Amino acid sequence: MGAGARLGRRGRSFLEAILLVGGQGTRLRPLTISTPKPLLPTAGVPLLEHQLTRARDAGVERIVFATSYRAEMFNEAFGDGRRLGMEFRYVTEDEPLGTAGAVRNASAALTCGPDDPVLILNGDILSGHDISAQVEAHQKGDAQITLHLTLVDDARRYGSVPTGPDGRVLDFVEKSPDPPTNQVNAGCYVFRRSMIERIPAGRPVSAEYETFPMLLADGEVIVGYVEAAYWLDVGTPAAFVRGARDLVLGAMPSPVVTASEHGVLLLGGATVEPGAQVGGGTTVGARSVVGAGAHVESSVLFDDATVEAGARVVRSVIGEGARICAGAVLEDAVIGDRAIVGPGNELVNGLRLWPGVELPDTAVRFSADG
Ligand code: GDD
Ligand code: MG
């Protein structure tokens, strides 16, 4: 902590964060056509709200949102932050500046000093790790940057980050077909603020492909904070369904979710008719209806959705106002807003239906893998 650092609430040093929420969420289409990924309703609140409230409980008092895609929707959802007990600011890129370019651009709205720690968060993560412990680890050592690292089974979709015996980061290898280790970048960083000034301004810059490798080559001390708590990148429909399920079941702890005993979260005005089986961490959105004898498991129903009698819905997402007619079967499917799946159709293996599309009463099996 720099000399003369400000004290924040609860006597801790004042902590600011930058939140990266400018991505287009392409892998989650069609859900992200109308709503950016970080705002998708997840266990009753925007996905981001779980991470925001965990950051607040770890002492973060002020957050600068780095926005680009559908930027205005973040302000509409969270405003000045008072509802969540923090202060929010929004900085929008004219053109997407990439993960580090966005940080550099948003840093103009920070108020802390050059030696103070700044927390930087990817906006599509559910993580149960101890943010305070990560910040403390950063403060104790002489690191310029401290990265939360976690272990995954397959590191090819992530930043693979080998560390030495002293915890120092040796390399940063983004999305390699041949990653050096299964220890990966978990998308939560503590930067000494002066390091942010090392990112070039005014052009797109990738933290993963450019900034981390450049700072390592310059000999800057970057260390790993390894913690194997619950962790999920909510980048695909399968991961989105899993994250919502884990929040409802309590496997991912969130300050804004009361884990359900019966494996179901019913939002305001939702109806489950007698004889329907609903469970496995399902969310039934506001005013949505599940008909008699339907089976709904580990799925997410957005608001005003309908699952008619006898339909079967497993590990699927049903968009706002969409309708699944009697006897239809969905497994690992994504149904866009207001789409209609006619009676008897089967949609399996990651099949996605675009918003407003109507599948008539054809009783056909549609599979994304042909
Ligand atoms: N403002 C802004 N501008 N935000 C951006 C931009 C941009 O140009 N590009 C991406 N973002 C935001 C996204 O909205 C997301 O919250 C975050 O940056 C990370 O982008 P993703 O597109 O989700 O990246 P990823 O999941 O492929 O990989 C990243 O996260 C992994 C962990 O989940 C990398 O940081 C990997 O190294 C890491 O392992
Ligand atoms: Mg991601």
Side-chain angles (χ1 to χ4, degrees), residues 27 37 122-125 157-158 175 231-236:
R27 287 169 299 165
K37 170 166 64 173
N122 283 358
D124 62 341
I125 300 294
R157 290 196 291 122
Y158 304 101
K175 297 193 176 69
W231 184 82
L232 185 68
D233 173 319
V234 188
T236 61

Side-chain angles (χ1 to χ4, degrees), residues 20-24 27 37-38 66-68 93 96-99 102 121-125 157-159 172 174-175 184-187 189 208 231 233:
L20 291 167
V21 287
Q24 300 211 4
R27 287 169 299 165
K37 170 166 64 173
T67 61
S68 168
E93 296 142 43
L97 287 172
T99 45
L121 302 159
N122 283 358
D124 62 341
I125 300 294
R157 290 196 291 122
Y158 304 101
F172 196 108
E174 182 72 10
K175 297 193 176 69
V184 301
N185 169 25
Y189 323 127
E208 297 82 359
W231 184 82
D233 173 319

Side-chain angles (χ1 to χ4, degrees), residues 88-297:
F88 294 161
R89 285 282 184 280
Y90 302 88
V91 177
T92 301
E93 296 142 43
D94 299 329
E95 296 295 327
L97 287 172
T99 45
V103 168
R104 176 68 205 257
N105 189 54
S107 70
L110 293 173
T111 64
C112 62
D115 288 329
D116 287 336
V118 177
L119 193 70
I120 296 174
L121 302 159
N122 283 358
D124 62 341
I125 300 294
L126 288 173
S127 176
H129 87 283
D130 185 341
I131 298 173
S132 309
Q134 182 185 354
V135 175
E136 266 165 44
H138 176 82
Q139 301 280 65
K140 274 197 207 123
D142 54 0
Q144 302 293 343
I145 297 174
T146 302
L147 310 178
H148 173 212
L149 305 177
T150 192
L151 280 178
V152 294
D153 290 336
D154 181 355
R156 290 175 295 180
R157 290 196 291 122
Y158 304 101
S160 171
V161 185
T163 46
D166 55 355
R168 252 183 100 158
V169 170
L170 304 173
D171 204 355
F172 196 108
V173 186
E174 182 72 10
K175 297 193 176 69
S176 159
D178 188 19
T181 165
N182 282 359
Q183 175 175 275
V184 301
N185 169 25
C188 176
Y189 323 127
V190 186
F191 267 59
R192 188 188 292 264
R193 180 173 176 178
S194 55
M195 281 295 110
I196 297 177
E197 317 302 325
R198 299 276 293 278
I199 301 166
R203 67 165 171 89
V205 185
S206 160
E208 297 82 359
Y209 290 102
E210 185 175 341
T211 307
F212 292 133
M214 180 264 294
L215 293 173
L216 286 171
D218 285 356
E220 299 296 354
V221 180
I222 302 183
V223 304
Y225 168 80
V226 183
E227 192 187 321
Y230 181 96
W231 184 82
L232 185 68
D233 173 319
V234 188
T236 61
F240 176 68
V241 164
R242 195 175 320 132
R245 176 198 72 185
D246 292 342
L247 284 159
V248 173
L249 295 179
M252 161 67 201
S254 164
V256 285
V257 178
T258 314
S260 119
E261 266 178 48
H262 306 289
V264 190
L265 178 64
L266 292 181
L267 301 179
T271 309
V272 174
E273 289 179 355
Q277 280 182 301
V278 185
T282 290
T283 303
V284 183
R287 300 170 301 280
S288 288
V289 179
V290 179
H295 176 99
V296 182
E297 187 184 324

